[in-house]
Amino acid sequence: ADRSLFVLATARPELYTQFPKLREQWEFEEVVLHGLTKKASEQLARTILPTTTPDAIIGRVVALASGNAFYLEELVRRVAEGGGTELPETVVAMAQSRIERLPAEARRLLRAASVYGETSWSGGIDSLLVASDDSAMLLSWLSEQEILQRAVDSRYPGESEYTFRHALLREACYAMLTDADRRSAHLRAGEWLEARGERDARVLADHFERGGAIARAVPFIARASMAALDSGDFESAIGLSRRGTGLGAYGPQRGMLLLVRSYASVWKREPELPNEALSLLPRASAPWWLALSLHVFGCSLLGTPQLAEPYLHLALTTSPDTELSSAYGQSIQVLAAGAALLGQANIGWALVQHFENASTPRSRFPMPREVRADPAFFAWFNLSKCVLATNSLMDGTTWALGKALVWGRASIEAMRVLGSGSGEAAALFHLGNAYWLAGDFARSLTLLQQGRQLAKQTGNLLVEEHADLLLAVAALRDGSRADALATLTNLANSANLQLSHAAATVLADTFFRAGHVAEAIARAQQAARGSSLMYRRAARGTLARAYLAESAFAEALAATDMAFSDGSPEAFPHLTVDLLNSRAQALLGCGLHDEAVHTVERASRFRAEVADGIDEAESRDAFRTRGRTNRILDQLSAQLLAG
């Protein structure tokens, strides 16, 4: 209690003068008697440290201080001075003074335990010591001294698990090791953990690297980087990748590390094409497929479709992987998205069909039962089909929007079970997009907002910004013009060429809806020359409507013809009805009545077929009735098909 007040009075007098207020806010009477609570420690740290201090650093400071006001003050001062969260010497010395008073055998045991971290195991400790019959007795005695605490359950069967009662004690014991002893101990600790089947690759990597066994550390770093990727922790994935390559990884392991960095860079919206990774990874393996898909997807983001062509051909001429792992599932999803954006969704559908065929008894690619049941693969596989079904015609004939909704829901459920935050964010976005295209705007906005929030939490900038795009369109529809225009203008200046193209296309449509036809035409003409096929086609749809508004029927007809002829006609079916509406109106303006009737019939059949495939009544009705496009089609139908 005296120490707590002493720290406030001498080190931070400005806080001491506020002591009555602090007493009221943090129930300081209890703090004085029993030490700072976690909440009080966190509030005190936030009060003193700059507001820009990351939450992770504040959490580390609070954990190390463990309620001791003096320790907290020392740690806060160190962080404020730019010294990081390593314990200052004064704090370590205080903890070490307690350790120094223990018997030599107890000190040796504690130093061995500290090598494993804050948690250690009886057998692991023994593996670092000269065999001693007294270790069990010492562990029990140290528990009585409240230095260690025995856990009720153990991570490893048959081993007693112990935890340091205070992080400071562990740090103090670890600091007592010489460099040579520390290196030797970490190597043996890594071997003991590996022999016990430790599943955390990062733990093993840390021990082997600190033990000087770099060649043994690198494979675990590669595994840990992939695990970080799977969980959506892109910052850690990139850091581990750089760590592994910095240690001299070569061959397939270097390929894996470069692949991880490329994947994380794509979702952080700064794509690095994985050319070197492709050359190092075994052909047709799951990582190789992921590298291939990242190249295709990266090209779609960078606006360089010509660089993707050879890799699309390579995908079509390579047999699918038979190891249905998470990496292979992600590869199909990324390739599906990239191919769809490039207007080559047939490549993604071909891979899906490869898998579907492989599930049959007569397949050339038999699937082991235990691999076929990999839930991570199916989470990504369902998302792949959702993306493809949303953005292209299935089998070149049917827009299976209803199936896209089913596959999207299945993917979200699986991602949640797996705990893949980034995967769930992507699934929420794609399902939200599918509901948007179905006209079910209320459900779409809920999903898009959830996806955006989760994408922001996991660092998935690509999903976050694409969600921002659709949410801005929704805001425009609801009358929130100023904020939406600011968002769209900002996105139009994005380094992501696909995203900037998308925003520029939406802005052209926005000016048209606001009645600024000349401005809309100028912007749409520019967007129609962009790198993304989808947004070129959408821009020509806006251009056609703007020309119709000026009774420039021949120009409107030419715009729709160009939209349908540019790229694969099976791509981006959500634009079909709008383009057919404009085409029918242009044909009427040109005096081609019969062809206009045929075009309206075609649009009506298309809408009916898609609606019939949607199993949810509300979404089915929304697809048939909501939105400007449906109103125009209904008016044209009444005008031309009434007789």
Side-chain angles (χ1 to χ4, degrees):
D2 291 342
R3 175 60 69 184
S4 299
L5 298 178
F6 174 78
V7 169
L8 289 174
T10 59
R12 296 292 176 182
E14 70 278 14
L15 284 179
Y16 183 72
T17 59
Q18 303 173 29
F19 183 75
K21 184 178 180 181
L22 296 179
R23 180 197 301 270
E24 179 182 348
Q25 288 181 347
W26 301 340
E27 299 178 353
F28 224 77
E29 290 157 332
E30 180 179 344
V31 170
V32 169
L33 290 174
H34 304 292
L36 292 167
T37 64
K38 182 178 179 181
K39 179 180 178 181
S41 297
E42 182 176 333
Q43 289 179 323
L44 185 57
R46 290 186 186 279
T47 301
I48 300 173
L49 288 171
T51 57
T52 56
T53 305
D55 289 344
I57 290 181
I58 290 177
R60 172 69 173 160
V61 166
V62 170
L64 287 173
S66 192
N68 186 298
F70 178 77
Y71 293 167
L72 180 66
E73 173 63 27
E74 290 291 309
L75 286 163
V76 165
R77 181 183 290 111
R78 183 176 181 86
V79 170
E81 293 173 353
T85 58
E86 294 299 317
L87 290 171
E89 292 181 5
T90 52
V91 176
V92 174
M94 289 180 64
Q96 284 180 341
S97 67
R98 181 181 180 190
I99 302 300
E100 291 290 356
R101 293 195 294 270
L102 298 174
E105 295 82 358
R107 294 199 301 272
R108 283 196 296 271
L109 186 146
L110 289 173
R111 289 197 295 270
S114 72
V115 172
Y116 291 93
E118 292 184 28
T119 300
S120 56
W121 300 268
S122 54
I125 295 170
D126 283 342
S127 72
L128 307 186
L129 299 170
V130 176
S132 171
D133 295 333
D134 297 333
S135 61
M137 186 181 300
L138 278 173
L139 286 167
S140 177
W141 182 77
L142 287 167
S143 298
E144 293 173 0
Q145 299 301 307
E146 296 188 343
I147 294 176
L148 297 177
Q149 180 176 0
R150 182 171 178 173
V152 176
D153 298 315
S154 176
R155 181 178 178 86
Y156 303 109
E159 297 290 344
S160 297
E161 182 172 306
Y162 291 87
T163 303
F164 280 91
R165 282 186 174 269
H166 197 297
L168 295 172
L169 293 173
R170 184 267 167 182
E171 297 281 351
C173 293
Y174 188 73
M176 292 178 174
L177 289 162
T178 66
D179 289 343
D181 286 344
R182 191 173 295 164
R183 185 166 52 251
S184 173
H186 275 296
L187 178 57
R188 284 181 286 161
E191 291 171 341
W192 186 87
L193 290 168
E194 185 180 20
R196 296 304 178 280
E198 172 59 49
R199 295 182 299 275
D200 191 330
R202 193 181 308 201
V203 168
L204 294 171
D206 289 345
H207 281 298
F208 284 125
E209 183 179 354
R210 292 176 184 178
I214 303 303
R216 297 179 69 175
V218 167
F220 290 112
I221 294 175
R223 276 175 47 187
S225 66
M226 184 59 75
L229 201 64
D230 287 343
S231 67
D233 185 355
F234 297 133
E235 293 295 339
S236 292
I238 292 173
L240 286 162
S241 171
R242 289 176 174 158
R243 174 179 164 189
T245 54
L247 290 174
Y250 62 92
Q253 289 171 1
R254 178 177 174 82
M256 280 291 295
L257 292 164
L258 293 174
L259 167 63
V260 167
R261 190 159 73 208
S262 177
Y263 188 99
S265 73
V266 163
W267 295 116
K268 286 179 69 63
R269 200 242 303 130
E270 301 167 344
E272 298 178 17
L273 297 182
N275 297 330
E276 185 182 354
L278 264 174
S279 68
L280 294 171
L281 295 166
R283 179 162 176 160
S285 65
W288 181 89
W289 273 107
L290 186 54
L292 177 69
S293 66
L294 285 171
H295 188 98
V296 171
F297 188 62
C299 288
S300 74
L301 297 182
L302 293 169
T304 54
Q306 69 280 3
L307 297 180
E309 288 297 330
Y311 296 91
L312 287 169
H313 177 74
L314 187 59
L316 275 181
T317 56
T318 304
S319 297
D321 187 31
T322 57
E323 181 188 350
L324 302 186
S325 61
S326 173
Y328 185 46
Q330 290 177 62
S331 73
I332 295 179
Q333 190 273 318
V334 174
L335 184 57
L341 289 171
L342 293 169
Q344 300 286 342
N346 59 307
I347 307 292
W349 282 119
L351 283 175
V352 167
Q353 193 60 49
H354 274 315
F355 166 74
E356 301 288 3
N357 291 341
S359 300
T360 65
R362 290 178 292 179
S363 168
R364 292 189 299 116
F365 310 111
M367 302 295 178
R369 182 176 303 173
E370 65 276 8
V371 177
R372 197 186 318 160
D374 183 350
F377 170 82
F378 285 106
W380 290 104
F381 186 66
N382 280 322
L383 184 55
S384 304
K385 293 192 288 186
C386 173
V387 171
L388 289 168
T390 301
N391 293 286
S392 67
L393 298 180
M394 193 173 179
D395 300 324
T397 59
T398 305
W399 188 23
L401 184 58
K403 290 186 176 180
L405 298 174
V406 173
W407 287 324
R409 291 194 298 267
S411 178
I412 289 174
E413 291 173 4
M415 294 294 185
R416 284 174 178 164
V417 171
L418 294 167
S420 176
S422 180
E424 184 183 346
L428 285 165
F429 168 77
H430 286 295
L431 183 59
N433 182 44
Y435 273 114
W436 178 276
L437 299 180
D440 195 340
F441 299 121
R443 197 174 315 191
S444 171
L445 289 177
T446 298
L447 291 164
L448 290 171
Q449 288 163 348
Q450 291 173 351
R452 185 193 182 282
Q453 182 178 3
L454 191 53
K456 188 176 183 65
Q457 291 172 359
T458 58
N460 193 328
L461 293 178
L462 193 63
V463 168
E464 181 184 348
E465 290 185 334
H466 276 82
D468 281 339
L469 178 73
L470 283 182
L471 290 170
V473 174
L476 283 171
R477 183 171 55 84
D478 292 338
S480 302
R481 181 177 175 81
D483 290 343
L485 286 176
T487 298
L488 290 169
T489 301
N490 182 52
L491 293 175
N493 296 318
S494 170
N496 179 340
L497 295 182
Q498 183 204 67
L499 189 64
S500 64
H501 191 185
T505 303
V506 173
L507 283 170
D509 181 66
T510 302
F511 278 96
F512 170 72
R513 290 172 186 257
H516 305 296
V517 178
E519 178 72 11
I521 289 175
R523 287 176 176 269
Q525 286 175 333
Q526 183 176 0
R529 295 189 291 269
S531 59
S532 168
L533 173 60
M534 178 166 67
Y535 297 114
R536 286 203 306 270
R537 189 168 292 180
R540 289 183 177 118
T542 298
L543 198 57
R545 282 184 269 110
Y547 282 138
L548 288 171
E550 295 196 331
S551 299
F553 301 115
E555 288 84 352
L557 188 60
T560 61
D561 286 343
M562 181 63 75
F564 282 119
S565 63
D566 183 10
S568 169
E570 293 86 11
F572 316 120
H574 63 281
L575 301 171
T576 299
V577 174
D578 178 61
L579 288 168
L580 289 176
N581 283 345
S582 295
R583 181 173 176 78
Q585 292 172 291
L587 288 167
L588 280 175
C590 293
L592 302 172
H593 181 274
D594 290 345
E595 194 171 346
V597 170
H598 174 74
T599 301
V600 171
E601 288 175 337
R602 178 182 167 193
S604 297
R605 285 196 305 270
F606 181 85
R607 180 177 66 177
E609 289 171 358
V610 176
D612 289 343
I614 299 176
D615 60 358
E616 296 172 293
E618 185 176 350
S619 298
R620 182 169 58 248
D621 293 341
F623 185 79
R624 288 186 177 128
T625 60
R626 291 182 192 169
R628 175 187 50 81
T629 300
N630 274 321
R631 290 193 296 273
I632 293 174
L633 179 57
D634 289 338
Q635 291 167 4
L636 287 170
S637 297
Q639 177 184 350
L640 297 175
L641 306 180

